[in-house]
C-alpha cells in the first residue's frame, strides 16, 4: 500500500514537472507581445528541464504511459535547445579576431580587471556597456589604451546609458543610432588582413523598465543588422536571452551567435553579483562572415554581468 502511494506521489510530481516543461516550450516558441510573458520567457530554458525531471519521476513510479508523454515533451524541448550545443560544421581560414563584450555596471567594474582580461587574452576588440566618463579615466589609467589604442566612446555622466568600442585597429565611420534610450553605436574597423569590418555595440533598454521601448529597439537592431554585409562583429547586452523571439530574429540573416557556433549554447552572464547567479544569458557576441572557435565567460569584479570572450576565425 505504501509503495502505491509513493508511486502516485511521484506521478503527480512528475506531471507537474512535465507541465512546467510544456509551459517553457510555449514561452520559447511564441512571439510574445506582453511584458509579463516576455519576462517569464527569460527563464523558459529552466522550465524545459522539467521534462527530464518529470521523465525520471514517472519511470520511478512505473507510469509507462505517462513516461511516454514525458518523452514526447522532452523531444520537443530538445528540438529547441540541442541545436545550440552542436558546433558549427564549417571552418574559416581567415585571420583570428579576439572579441570581448562587457557590461561594467554604471562604470563600477574594476578597471584593472577589465584591462587584465584584455591583456591576458590578447583581445582585439572590446565592446563596453554602461560606460561612464569616470570609468573611461579608470580604464585609461589601468592601461587599456596602450592595448587598444583606437576607440569610439559615447559615455554617460552616470548611470547605464553609455557605450564604447575599443580596438587594436583603426576605427572610422563612427555612428550613434537614433531612436534608442541608451547609446547604441557602431564603427568600421580597418583590419590589416580582412579589410573594413563593422563593429556594433548594442544595449537596448531592459524590458522590465520600458517594455515598449525594448521591443522597438530590438526591431531597430534587427533592421540595422539586416542591412549589414559580412564581415561584421556585434558585442551586446541585448537584455534578451535565447528564449526571446526578438533575439532569435537577429540570427535569421547573416549573423550567427558565437556561442551557437562553438556548441557552447547558453552562456549564463546575469546576475553575476548574486550568490545564486548568474541564471540567464543576456550578453552576446554575434558574427557575420566568420566562425567562433572558442568562447567563454569571465568574472569582472564590480560588475553584475560576466564578460563574454570569443576567439573568431574570419572568412577570407
Amino acid at each position: 500500500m505504501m509503495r502505491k502511494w509513493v508511486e502516485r506521489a511521484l506521478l503527480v510530481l512528475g506531471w507537474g514537472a512535465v507541465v512546467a516543461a510544456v509551459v517553457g516550450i510555449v514561452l520559447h516558441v511564441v512571439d510574445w507581445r506582453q511584458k509579463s510573458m516576455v519576462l517569464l520567457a527569460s527563464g523558459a530554458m529552466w522550465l524545459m528541464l522539467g521534462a527530464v525531471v518529470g521523465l525520471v519521476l514517472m519511470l520511478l513510479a512505473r507510469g509507462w504511459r505517462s513516461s511516454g508523454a514525458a518523452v514526447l515533451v522532452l523531444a520537443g524541448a530538445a528540438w529547441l535547445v540541442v541545436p545550440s550545443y552542436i558546433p558549427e560544421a564549417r571552418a574559416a581560414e581567415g585571420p583570428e579576431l579576439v572579441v570581448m563584450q562587457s557590461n561594467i555596471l554604471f562604470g563600477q567594474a574594476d578597471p584593472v580587471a577589465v584591462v587584465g582580461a584584455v591583456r591576458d587574452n590578447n583581445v582585439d576588440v572590446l565592446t563596453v556597456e554602461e560606460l561612464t566618463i569616470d570609468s573611461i579615466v579608470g580604464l585609461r589609467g589601468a592601461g587599456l589604451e596602450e592595448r587598444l589604442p583606437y576607440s569610439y566612446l559615447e559615455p554617460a555622466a552616470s548611470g547605464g546609458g553609455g557605450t564604447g568600442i575599443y580596438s587594436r585597429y583603426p576605427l572610422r565611420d563612427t555612428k550613434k543610432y537614433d531612436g534608442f534610450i541608451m547609446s547604441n553605436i557602431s564603427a568600421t574597423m580597418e583590419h590589416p588582413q580582412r579589410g573594413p569590418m563593422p563593429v556594433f555595440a548594442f544595449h537596448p533598454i531592459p524590458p522590465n523598465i520600458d517594455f515598449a521601448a525594448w521591443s522597438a529597439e530590438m526591431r531597430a537592431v534587427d533592421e540595422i543588422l539586416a542591412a549589414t554585409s559580412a564581415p561584421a562583429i556585434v558585442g551586446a547586452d541585448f537584455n534578451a536571452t535565447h528564449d526571446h523571439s526578438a533575439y532569435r530574429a537577429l540570427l535569421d540573416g547573416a549573423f550567427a551567435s558565437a556561442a551557437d557556433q562553438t556548441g557552447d549554447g547558453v552562456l549564463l552572464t546575469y546576475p553575476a553579483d548574486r550568490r545564486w547567479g548568474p541564471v540567464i544569458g543576456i550578453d552576446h557576441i554575434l558574427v557575420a562572415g566568420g566562425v567562433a572557435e572558442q568562447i567563454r565567460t569571465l568574472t569582472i569584479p564590480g560588475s553584475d554581468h560576466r564578460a563574454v570572450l570569443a576567439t573568431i576565425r574570419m572568412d577570407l
Side-chain angles (χ1 to χ4, degrees):
M1 179 64 71
M2 178 63 70
R3 180 174 179 81
K4 178 179 280 189
W5 281 107
V6 170
E7 289 178 349
R8 287 179 179 177
L10 290 174
L11 275 177
V12 170
L13 292 173
W15 271 110
V18 169
V19 169
V22 172
V23 171
I25 291 171
V26 173
L27 287 171
H28 176 101
V29 171
V30 176
D31 182 15
W32 299 105
R33 302 303 172 90
Q34 298 83 22
K35 175 180 177 179
S36 59
M37 302 307 290
V38 167
L39 295 179
L40 285 172
S42 301
M45 173 187 70
W46 297 110
L47 291 173
M48 282 188 271
L49 288 175
V52 177
V53 175
L55 177 58
V56 171
L57 292 174
M58 289 170 174
L59 289 173
L60 289 173
R62 297 187 295 185
W64 311 124
R65 284 181 294 183
S66 295
S67 298
V71 167
L72 291 176
V73 174
L74 178 58
W79 182 71
L80 297 176
V81 174
V82 168
S84 294
Y85 292 88
I86 299 175
E88 182 103 0
R90 75 180 187 91
E93 299 180 351
E96 180 182 279
L97 192 69
V98 180
V99 181
M100 180 172 159
Q101 147 65 25
S102 185
N103 179 313
I104 59 173
L105 183 58
F106 308 146
Q108 297 174 8
D110 182 357
V112 174
V114 174
V115 176
V118 168
R119 180 189 62 248
D120 294 345
N121 295 285
N122 202 27
V123 169
D124 298 301
V125 179
L126 170 66
T127 55
V128 184
E129 291 79 42
E130 305 198 10
L131 184 71
T132 62
I133 296 171
D134 287 344
S135 65
I136 291 174
V137 175
L139 291 168
R140 181 183 298 127
L144 181 59
E145 294 176 0
E146 298 171 13
R147 309 294 306 187
L148 304 176
Y150 303 97
S151 62
Y152 170 40
L153 310 176
E154 290 285 354
S158 61
T163 307
I165 299 170
Y166 289 89
S167 171
R168 184 183 305 276
Y169 309 112
L171 299 174
R172 60 174 174 81
D173 299 335
T174 58
K175 183 172 183 178
K176 180 180 179 181
Y177 293 95
D178 296 328
F180 291 86
I181 295 174
M182 300 188 287
S183 295
N184 287 254
I185 63 176
S186 70
T188 298
M189 179 179 66
E190 290 288 356
H191 194 279
Q193 296 170 276
R194 191 59 184 86
M197 183 184 307
V199 177
F200 298 89
F202 290 122
H203 192 199
I205 194 76
N208 58 307
I209 293 177
D210 191 331
F211 177 69
W214 174 83
S215 300
E217 290 180 3
M218 287 297 286
R219 289 193 296 271
V221 170
D222 192 20
E223 293 172 1
I224 292 167
L225 296 186
T228 302
S229 300
I233 298 292
V234 175
D237 169 7
F238 283 122
N239 283 303
T241 74
H242 191 270
D243 289 310
H244 290 123
S245 60
Y247 168 72
R248 297 195 305 275
L250 307 181
L251 309 179
D252 288 342
F255 285 85
S257 161
D260 288 351
Q261 289 183 322
T262 61
D264 284 273
V266 177
L267 296 176
L268 304 179
T269 63
Y270 180 85
D273 59 346
R274 300 288 188 270
R275 297 178 68 177
W276 43 265
V279 295
I280 58 175
I282 58 178
D283 295 86
H284 306 271
I285 292 174
L286 308 184
V287 185
V291 178
E293 297 178 334
Q294 298 178 22
I295 193 167
R296 61 189 177 98
T297 62
L298 304 171
T299 297
I300 302 295
S303 176
D304 57 347
H305 290 245
R306 287 179 66 86
V308 181
L309 180 76
T311 301
I312 299 165
R313 182 73 60 181
M314 305 306 298
D315 294 329
L316 289 173

